[in-house]
Amino acid sequence: MSDQERIIEALSAEESALRDAGVEMIADFLLDRRVAELVDVESVVALTLSSLTTDNVTRVVEEHLSPAWDRHLLRVTESGETVGDALPPEVKRKLEEIALIQGAPPAAWAKGAVDPKLVRELLAPVLQDTLLSFAKKLSAAAASGRGGIDDGPDSPEGEAPDASGRRGGIAGRLRKSAKARAEKLASVGKTVGKTVAGKVGAELDKRMASTAKEFSQGALRGLRETFRERIRSDEGRELVGQIQKQIIHRVFETDVAVLMHEIEGLPREELEALVGPTFQHNAARAIGRRVVAEEVRAFLDCEGDKTLRELAESSGVLDETRQAVAGTMDGLARELFRSPAFGTWLGDLLTN
């Protein structure tokens, strides 16, 4: 048996102490390397930029991202998952504290993004319908509470002559006496009328207040429905489209630094401290384990039968991949082959 055959047999046997020692030696060698030694920055940058073509990104979206979204939607639909389920109790308490103290970001960059005229044109018919509906209810309440006192015709100013044509006399005195009593009765009547009118007014105020309260309690539902009808109309859709375009354009025009500074206003250290407990919480949950297992299997089902060469070639980056791998491995192999551990292992192999 030649030395070549003997070495191959020793390293490919079902159980091989030499192979085990070689694998352990290589593993320790790689684990002792600095990460920077394992990555050729220029090669990785070139490989990454070359792979970011429209076709490659589209393939990743179609074959991986979109199916992953559909799988997770199915999972959370079956489990009835809520956002709060993904957060441990201590994280939820801390987020509540931060929200109460911090409040929402000021979003100063968004001020003036939308033309107020467009908003007025969109909302004016909605508010008009709501106010008209309220006015009709108030009118109906007022009509149902109307009432008053009829004071009757005014008393005559002068005295008519008696049958003899003379003013005064017994008839005149009787008329004066009757007029005095009538004036007293009228005075009493006016007082009573004012009292009744006051009660009627109070009742009317009460009815109108009740109507306003009743309307306000149900107004939101009607307001929502009116708003839905408004934005479904041709004019409403056109206005909403213009508003959306203005908001998008404002986002496009906003400096990234401005957006990041708003986020910087949040308590970063406190929020970052919540990431670890949240991931640990979900890793211990059945749905968390299911997500990892299903997504790893899905990736392998899609790409597992392909070689690295085929993956690189299908992405159009075979040359860049070979250059990156070879450039990194050459320096590592050189260092490995001159290491004492490799010399010892090779000596054992040759004397076996």
Side-chain angles (χ1 to χ4, degrees):
M1 179 182 297
S2 67
D3 289 343
Q4 179 182 358
E5 291 174 335
R6 181 172 54 80
I7 291 173
I8 292 175
E9 182 178 354
L11 294 178
S12 61
E14 191 69 27
E15 293 185 4
S16 172
L18 281 172
R19 186 180 64 247
D20 292 344
V23 170
E24 184 175 351
M25 179 263 300
I26 293 174
D28 286 338
F29 171 79
L30 292 175
L31 290 173
D32 289 337
R33 304 282 68 75
R34 294 179 296 109
V35 174
E37 294 180 75
L38 303 177
V39 178
D40 183 341
V41 176
E42 292 185 4
S43 297
V44 171
V45 170
L47 175 62
T48 301
L49 294 177
S50 298
S51 65
L52 292 178
T53 64
T54 299
D55 289 342
N56 287 342
V57 174
T58 300
R59 184 181 68 82
V60 170
V61 171
E62 292 178 349
E63 296 183 3
H64 295 286
L65 298 183
S66 183
W69 175 276
D70 294 336
R71 287 190 296 269
H72 196 59
L73 178 59
L74 178 62
R75 285 190 291 261
V76 296
T77 300
E78 290 176 347
S79 65
E81 184 82 357
T82 68
V83 175
D85 291 336
L87 302 173
E90 65 273 17
V91 170
K92 286 191 280 191
R93 286 194 296 270
K94 189 61 181 178
L95 288 175
E96 289 174 356
E97 292 176 9
I98 293 174
L100 289 174
I101 297 173
Q102 189 71 28
W109 59 272
K111 292 178 180 178
V114 177
D115 184 355
K117 181 181 178 181
L118 292 178
V119 179
R120 287 196 299 269
E121 290 181 10
L122 179 64
L123 297 181
V126 178
L127 298 176
Q128 179 178 324
D129 288 347
T130 303
L131 290 174
L132 287 175
S133 177
F134 182 51
K136 289 177 182 178
K137 287 185 177 290
L138 285 182
S139 178
S144 66
R146 282 178 186 151
I149 301 297
D150 186 1
D151 292 335
D154 293 336
S155 300
E157 290 293 334
E159 296 179 354
D162 62 10
S164 62
R166 294 176 302 170
R167 297 182 182 275
I170 295 176
R173 288 195 295 273
L174 289 174
R175 281 195 296 272
K176 288 181 179 180
S177 177
K179 181 179 179 182
R181 288 196 296 272
E183 288 175 349
K184 290 181 180 180
L185 288 173
S187 176
V188 172
K190 289 180 179 178
T191 301
V192 173
K194 289 180 180 178
T195 303
V196 173
K199 291 182 178 179
V200 170
E203 179 63 24
L204 180 58
D205 288 343
K206 182 179 179 181
R207 290 191 183 188
M208 294 178 73
S210 175
T211 300
K213 181 179 180 182
E214 178 185 350
F215 181 83
S216 65
Q217 291 175 343
L220 186 59
R221 182 172 59 254
L223 189 63
R224 284 199 302 264
E225 184 57 36
T226 305
F227 184 70
R228 288 194 193 99
E229 293 176 0
R230 175 61 173 158
I231 61 177
R232 288 171 185 164
S233 66
D234 292 341
E235 185 182 10
R237 286 198 299 269
E238 174 65 23
L239 291 169
V240 170
Q242 292 183 46
I243 291 172
Q244 290 173 332
K245 286 180 181 178
Q246 289 186 349
I247 293 174
I248 292 173
H249 289 165
R250 173 54 62 87
V251 173
F252 291 162
E253 296 165 359
T254 301
D255 291 346
V256 175
V258 172
L259 298 176
M260 294 185 69
H261 279 304
E262 290 222 345
I263 297 175
E264 283 286 307
L266 298 174
R268 277 180 55 187
E269 292 185 1
E270 295 183 54
L271 292 173
E272 289 168 356
L274 303 180
V275 176
T278 301
F279 272 89
Q280 182 177 352
H281 168 75
N282 285 283
R285 300 172 63 223
I287 191 170
R289 295 192 296 271
R290 180 182 171 189
V291 168
V292 174
E294 289 183 355
E295 293 311 309
V296 170
R297 291 194 190 100
F299 177 82
L300 292 177
D301 288 343
C302 183
E303 310 286 7
D305 290 336
K306 300 176 183 177
T307 65
L308 292 176
R309 178 185 295 275
E310 289 172 337
L311 280 175
E313 194 168 22
S314 65
S315 299
V317 291
L318 178 58
D319 292 340
E320 291 86 347
T321 302
R322 182 188 290 111
Q323 180 180 351
V325 172
T328 302
M329 292 301 297
D330 180 66
L332 292 174
R334 186 171 61 254
E335 188 171 350
L336 170 65
F337 294 152
R338 67 187 180 196
S339 66
F342 181 80
T344 301
W345 178 80
L346 183 61
D348 293 340
L349 177 63
L350 293 174
T351 58
N352 183 43

